[in-house]
Amino acid sequence: MNLKNLSKLARITGTGSYLPEKILSNADLEKMVETTDEWIVSRTGMKERRIAADDEFTSHMATKAATIALQDANIQADQIDAILVATLTPDHIFPSTAALLERNLGAKNAAALDIQAACTGYLYALSIAKAWIESGTYSNILVVAAEKLSTIVDYKDRGTCILFGDGASAAVVSNKGAGLAIQHTCLGADGEQSELLKLPAGGSRLPASKETVEQGLHYLQMEGREVYKHAVRRMENAAKECLDKCGLSDSDISWLVPHQANIRIMEAIAKRFGIPMERVFQTIHKYGNTSASAIAIALDELLKEHPVSTGDNLLLFAFGAGLTWGASLLTQIEE
Ligand code: UT7
């Protein structure tokens, strides 16, 4: 699609992130479980992650990130028509965190709902925002990804506790203005593999009880090695499909913005696209895996650290529980 045609598409006009102050370093983890800084860095690329305060919830982080994104887009809260919050750690099962965010922002004209697609949630939310904007249903949508994963991590399980952190990021998606046009978003899911990554209890299948708590069933469980294999294949395929749908090739990509789950996964996919790691935006060393928030935070930091020029193409891709996966191609446009 040429740049002129892109002017009809939904675009991201502002972004903002919030990361809690408290840092959990690899040295801290060495004191909690049998692990080493060397193992964590070489197997994952992670050095630190952020942990929210006890009285700081997903909706608080979402509100802080959204406030910055609204300022960045130069838009008032009452101009927002819909709020989408991608999270697997909502404040409550219901009401939605999106509704709490609507209240906190005073976004009184907005519809509000949560999106549950695990680490792929931000891309699912972007895709829905694009459809609503381009159908003419809404003009301005706030897309937020926010996670307090520290509440569902078992800090006695070295296989998972080294991986995850807390944080939030937001984007305003609008029908006009300069920004990143959402050219295409490819999404997928495979429920046959739902056992690989899950939070067993707390839903209707296994409601909270003394037994579920005693058995640690309110913590996330992951078969890391299996998930790894699916992650590489699914993200690579989604990213390739997305590029194809946009009529672009590997050499058109300005930046890869991958899910921040493992540096080795990012390296494997970058290699297959022939993209040097300098063009693969990374926050994994600072924040670990923040699930739905991970690519949202990476996109925001990329835009702040390396302002993009008209025509630059950003290829985002993510993967998570479900299994779910997706990719999105964003192109900077003038208006
Ligand atoms: O965001 C959702 C998507 N998530 C992902 O995409 C994550 C995908 N998976 C991964 O990134 C990797 O599988 C992990 C980083 C989770 C694990 O790395 P791995 O290279 O696959 O390790 P492994 O699970 O195969 O474990 C290798 C060894 C095992 O010991 P043995 O059985 O070989 O003696 C583990 O017990 O490493 C051991 N191990 C650890 N050792 C030190 C596992 N965790 C640790 C640890 N410190 N923290």
Side-chain angles (χ1 to χ4, degrees):
M1 213 183 266
N2 64 35
L3 282 176
K4 194 156 169 267
N5 290 341
L6 295 182
S7 66
K8 299 186 185 101
L9 300 182
R11 75 286 313 270
I12 294 173
T13 56
T15 57
S17 297
Y18 171 76
L19 277 308
E21 264 174 46
K22 187 179 164 193
I23 292 173
L24 180 67
S25 68
N26 290 353
D28 296 329
L29 286 162
E30 282 177 351
K31 294 180 201 133
M32 295 160 68
V33 288
E34 200 182 326
T35 192
T36 60
D37 173 60
E38 195 280 328
W39 192 96
I40 301 172
V41 173
S42 63
R43 298 290 181 119
T44 70
M46 296 172 186
K47 293 179 181 162
E48 297 177 350
R49 9 20 234 128
R50 299 299 178 94
I51 303 295
D54 289 346
D55 60 353
E56 185 174 44
F57 308 120
T58 299
S59 62
H60 295 139
M61 293 187 278
T63 305
K64 287 181 176 160
T67 303
I68 301 168
L70 291 174
Q71 281 164 3
D72 194 41
N74 197 18
I75 192 171
Q76 304 300 316
D78 61 6
Q79 291 173 270
I80 295 294
D81 303 309
I83 297 174
L84 301 170
V85 175
T87 183
L88 52 73
T89 47
D91 284 32
H92 315 282
I93 289 181
F94 70 88
S96 69
T97 299
L100 303 182
L101 181 56
E102 181 275 331
R103 174 197 64 194
N104 293 354
L105 295 173
K108 54 186 185 300
N109 299 313
L113 80 152
D114 287 359
I115 307 285
Q116 217 291 45
C119 302
T120 322
Y122 183 71
L123 295 183
Y124 271 74
L126 274 188
S127 179
I128 295 167
K130 174 178 168 65
W132 271 344
I133 299 262
E134 290 172 17
S135 64
T137 308
Y138 293 131
S139 303
N140 300 303
I141 298 178
L142 184 60
V143 171
V144 183
E147 300 282 16
K148 189 174 179 182
L149 296 173
S150 56
T151 56
I152 58 164
V153 166
D154 180 357
Y155 285 99
K156 293 192 178 74
D157 174 13
R158 70 175 182 173
T160 55
C161 75
I162 56 146
L163 300 171
F164 299 100
D166 302 333
S169 192
V172 175
V173 181
S174 292
N175 61 356
K176 60 178 193 294
L180 285 167
I182 306 169
Q183 280 217 47
H184 199 80
T185 298
C186 295
L187 303 173
D190 179 6
E192 293 291 340
Q193 308 296 335
S194 56
E195 291 296 310
L196 294 181
L197 181 49
K198 63 179 181 182
L199 183 71
S204 60
R205 183 170 292 220
L206 214 46
S209 67
K210 193 164 165 280
E211 288 73 30
T212 61
V213 173
E214 280 170 359
Q215 291 166 31
L217 298 177
H218 296 272
Y219 294 127
L220 73 81
Q221 298 175 353
M222 178 169 73
E223 290 181 38
R225 211 175 293 187
E226 275 307 303
V227 170
Y228 186 104
K229 285 186 224 155
H230 285 279
V232 175
R233 184 166 60 90
R234 295 301 194 178
M235 282 194 282
E236 184 192 356
N237 290 348
K240 287 210 159 121
E241 184 189 340
C242 199
L243 262 190
D244 281 354
K245 287 255 162 66
C246 298
L248 298 173
S249 63
D250 303 0
S251 59
D252 296 312
I253 302 169
S254 314
W255 286 97
L256 287 183
V257 185
H259 180 41
Q260 310 282 315
N262 191 316
I263 190 74
R264 292 182 290 138
I265 296 177
M266 296 188 222
E267 284 167 353
I269 296 175
K271 200 168 165 196
R272 292 177 197 195
F273 277 96
I275 307 261
M277 286 306 282
E278 301 79 68
R279 307 303 281 175
V280 180
F281 197 75
Q282 298 161 44
T283 59
I284 190 167
H285 54 293
K286 300 188 284 186
Y287 309 138
N289 181 348
T290 54
S291 186
S293 305
I295 47 171
I297 294 169
L299 175 65
D300 175 51
E301 293 206 355
L302 166 62
L303 295 174
K304 308 268 154 81
E305 288 172 26
H306 305 275
V308 287
S309 307
T310 303
D312 280 356
N313 293 311
L314 276 45
L315 183 56
L316 281 55
F317 47 89
F319 174 89
L323 300 173
T324 58
W325 56 86
S328 188
L329 195 288
L330 311 179
T331 304
Q332 180 68 20
I333 57 170
E334 297 286 348
E335 272 296 325

